């Protein structure tokens, strides 16, 4: 399964109840842009925001229910894979 397909599948899944979900967050914007176009470009400011999103997702995966932890770890993994493509 391609990274783009994995991102699309992740975005289609329901968000766990114990995630303090913020619609249109920076992480969601990055994932949505990748899902639509298969890339996010190489803007240094966007790449810096991407790094912050990864750090926040990894930190959020340290607490809460197992479902929440899995969701944030998967989000971080997808963001890391996107980052790797941009490097």
């Amino acid at each position: 399964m391609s990274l783009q397909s994995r991102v699309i599948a992740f975005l289609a899944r329901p968000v766990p109840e114990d995630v303090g979900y913020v619609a249109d967050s920076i992480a969601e914007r990055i994932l949505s842009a990748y899902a639509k176009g298969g890339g996010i470009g190489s803007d240094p400011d966007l790449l810096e925001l991407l790094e912050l999103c990864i750090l926040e997702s990894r930190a959020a995966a340290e607490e809460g229910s197992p479902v929440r932890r899995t969701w944030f770890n998967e989000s971080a993994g997808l963001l890391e894979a996107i980052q790797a493509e941009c490097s």
Side-chain angles (χ1 to χ4, degrees), residues 32-56:
S32 293
Y34 192 89
K36 290 177 186 166
I40 61 165
S42 59
D43 175 28
D45 292 333
L46 181 59
L47 296 178
E48 186 174 334
L49 290 172
L50 173 58
E51 178 66 29
L52 292 172
C53 290
I54 292 167
L55 294 173
E56 287 183 9

Side-chain angles (χ1 to χ4, degrees), residues 3 8 17 19 21 23 35 41-42 44 46-47 50-53 57 63 65-66 72 76-77 82 84:
L3 178 56
I8 291 168
E17 288 185 23
V19 169
Y21 180 68
S42 59
L46 181 59
L47 296 178
L50 173 58
E51 178 66 29
L52 292 172
C53 290
S57 290
E63 56 191 42
S65 71
F72 274 113
I82 292 168

